Amino acid sequence: MNNTYNNPDSNPESQPSEALAKVADNLRKVQANIPQGVQLVAISKFHPNEYIQAAYDAGQRVFGESHEQELAKKVTSLPKDIKWHFIGHLQTNKVKYIAPYISMIEAVDSLKLLKEINKQAAKNDRVINVLLELHIAEEETKYGLTLDACRELLKAGEWREMKNVQICGLMMMASNVDDEAQIRKEMTTAADFFDEVKATYFPDAPQFCERSWGMSHDYKIAVQCRSTMVRVGTAIFGPRVY
Ligand SMILES: *Cc1c(COP(=O)(O)O)cnc(C)c1O
């Protein structure tokens, strides 16, 4: 796997303009590895507005953040035509803050959260696009619905009455391992499950079409495993400074 990212901050001599040029350069390199039809979500969490602006100036329009307060600050000072995806674990009491503007909430992992998104979207007179997050990776710390829990949620059918959310597909994170075969296995499980859900619940719903998997270390595998949406941070912006 390719871990040779260009860290915009790695050279202490580097001028800000060089760091920003590196972001644009990294973005082009990632874009070149992604086939047509796969959307790149640039994951900008913990990175400064200048880096986001540099990626924007290089043509990127879709960005992902995982913390509501950080996102709120960025939204007010960056271009208005950016589409923001919320990719982190979202607490129900935070939904109201992002409901007015969020373009997609990627990590819906409970019926309770789905209901709250529907409620807050209705208050804002809009329909919010969401993905259901699957838990397939072997790591215990990861959020998400097991395949059975996801089947249950869909079978129960309450979501059909929610007029202000649109379920657009599935999202998952593979295990954070070097074993390419394991990553491939998990992503293939997700892709097969997508087909099951599509056939059972969304056969006539063209909006149910997204398979969001692939991060900096595994997006090249993800696009071979039918990903339609990769979420890449480090390979574009360099390591995050927490
Ligand atoms: C941080 C994050 C990413 C991006 O990770 P990188 O390794 O920096 O590409 C993708 N998806 C989710 C859910 C994340 O939290």
Side-chain angles (χ1 to χ4, degrees):
M1 254 173 283
N2 176 14
N3 283 317
T4 56
Y5 308 128
N6 288 325
N7 174 8
D9 295 325
S10 63
N11 177 5
E13 308 279 78
S14 117
Q15 298 302 305
S17 63
E18 290 171 22
L20 300 180
K22 206 153 261 184
V23 168
D25 197 40
N26 288 342
L27 178 68
R28 277 187 279 273
K29 284 179 183 149
V30 171
Q31 281 286 15
N33 288 325
I34 297 172
Q36 283 258 319
V38 174
Q39 186 168 50
L40 172 61
V41 183
I43 305 302
S44 49
K45 63 191 185 194
F46 295 99
H47 291 294
N49 287 351
E50 289 73 17
Y51 284 17
I52 300 172
Q53 186 67 51
Y56 179 92
D57 292 342
Q60 182 66 26
R61 290 293 179 274
V62 186
F63 292 84
E65 290 279 337
S66 58
H67 294 91
E68 169 271 313
Q69 282 183 322
E70 181 182 354
L71 176 54
K73 278 192 205 133
K74 287 175 171 173
V75 164
T76 54
S77 41
L78 285 158
K80 297 293 168 243
D81 63 336
I82 287 180
K83 287 186 159 56
W84 295 100
H85 285 206
F86 198 88
I87 60 155
H89 179 68
L90 182 59
Q91 291 171 279
T92 49
N93 63 353
K94 300 282 169 62
V95 175
K96 58 178 174 286
Y97 301 118
I98 65 170
Y101 62 82
I102 201 74
S103 173
M104 178 175 272
I105 298 177
E106 290 210 18
V108 174
D109 59 359
S110 72
L111 180 61
K112 186 178 161 213
L113 178 57
L114 193 63
K115 280 170 149 170
E116 179 65 14
I117 295 168
N118 184 54
K119 183 176 146 191
Q120 297 299 335
K123 278 191 187 169
N124 286 278
D125 199 20
R126 59 187 299 247
V127 175
I128 296 182
N129 292 329
V130 305
L131 304 179
L132 299 177
E133 182 184 11
L134 301 176
H135 176 119
I136 292 173
E138 283 169 8
E139 285 135 51
E140 298 207 339
T141 53
K142 298 248 164 82
Y143 294 104
L145 299 156
T146 62
L147 300 191
D148 276 341
C150 189
R151 286 186 185 104
E152 280 304 307
L153 187 155
L154 290 166
K155 189 165 171 230
E158 217 176 316
W159 58 275
R160 293 183 192 276
E161 311 306 318
M162 301 181 193
K163 301 300 176 214
N164 295 82
V165 285
Q166 176 154 264
I167 302 176
C168 298
L170 305 175
M171 176 267 204
M172 62 84 82
M173 280 165 97
S175 293
N176 186 16
V177 294
D178 286 330
D179 180 358
E180 218 181 285
Q182 177 165 354
I183 293 169
R184 211 172 275 281
K185 187 175 137 220
E186 292 174 3
M187 289 175 173
T188 302
T189 298
D192 291 345
F193 186 72
F194 175 93
D195 290 342
E196 175 193 320
V197 168
K198 174 82 184 165
T200 312
Y201 297 102
F202 300 97
D204 304 314
Q207 80 278 359
F208 188 90
C209 63
E210 299 295 355
R211 295 177 290 268
S212 177
W213 43 85
M215 302 163 55
S216 290
H217 73 286
D218 61 11
Y219 75 92
K220 290 177 194 165
I221 303 172
V223 296
Q224 295 168 0
C225 297
R226 301 173 56 209
S227 173
T228 63
M229 194 178 265
V230 293
R231 309 178 307 265
V232 179
T234 310
I236 298 170
F237 299 109
R240 288 176 283 277
V241 181
Y242 295 103

